[in-house]
Amino acid sequence: MIAIGCDHAATDYKKKIESHLNGRGIAFEDFGAGESDCCDYPEYAEKVADAVKSGRCEKGILICGTGIGMCIAANKVRGIRCALCHDVFSAKACRLHNDANVLALGQRTMGIENVLEIVDAFLDTSFSEEERHVRRLGGIADIERRNS
């Protein structure tokens, strides 16, 4: 199950991503926002991040105007590794090397075709589990423990 959320600046892309996920037979849970909701992105970033952190959803996708605010907010939740991606290479690398569990995207910064390719790369790429990557994730977890 994929958690998906956006703010008012990205409802169009959220709908298109959800349609794409439906077409691929991938289950998702929509955490908002709706079209008429003028809202603050941290609320939706936290909802998606909490769903991933709890295990209710395997991964998350967040969309706002640029993706930057969503990424920053989601990364405040312990255990979340949110990556802002603008290309397929970064989407694959964040999964392969960093085991990113949330993807942040910007509706105002990328075309929808690129966004859907990034979503596919993120969802279809597995963590490599090589010792060096596992060790580095342990280092990230250590930073979280020291600073929370």
Side-chain angles (χ1 to χ4, degrees):
M1 171 93 55
I2 305 300
I4 188 166
C6 71
D7 69 1
H8 59 279
T11 57
D12 183 48
Y13 274 23
K14 179 172 65 84
K15 282 192 227 172
K16 290 177 180 177
I17 292 168
E18 288 174 342
S19 177
H20 183 73
L21 295 175
N22 273 329
R24 290 193 55 192
I26 297 172
F28 63 86
E29 184 171 349
D30 185 340
F31 287 87
E35 286 183 47
S36 62
D37 302 336
C38 184
C39 60
D40 296 325
Y41 61 83
E43 174 186 352
Y44 297 94
E46 185 175 27
K47 287 178 182 181
V48 167
D50 284 344
V52 173
K53 177 184 174 182
S54 72
R56 177 174 166 184
C57 294
E58 179 185 349
K59 294 182 185 91
I61 299 172
L62 291 165
I63 318 105
C64 65
T66 63
I68 297 167
M70 287 289 201
C71 186
I72 292 169
N75 278 317
K76 299 301 179 187
V77 175
R78 190 176 192 174
I80 295 302
R81 292 173 305 281
C82 182
L84 173 61
C85 295
H86 291 98
D87 55 70
V88 170
F89 177 82
S90 297
K92 288 180 180 179
C94 79
R95 289 286 307 129
L96 189 64
H97 296 187
N98 311 112
D99 199 19
N101 50 14
V102 178
L103 172 66
L105 301 162
Q107 179 166 315
R108 295 176 180 156
T109 60
M110 296 182 284
I112 189 62
E113 297 82 14
N114 188 35
V115 164
L116 296 178
E117 289 175 0
I118 291 167
V119 166
D120 286 344
F122 179 79
L123 296 178
D124 295 343
T125 303
S126 298
F127 179 53
S128 73
E129 297 191 35
E130 290 180 32
E131 186 275 328
R132 65 188 169 129
H133 300 307
V134 172
R135 183 181 67 247
R136 292 168 185 159
L137 288 181
I140 292 170
D142 290 344
I143 292 169
E144 282 182 328
R145 280 190 290 281
R146 288 193 301 270
N147 289 282
S148 58

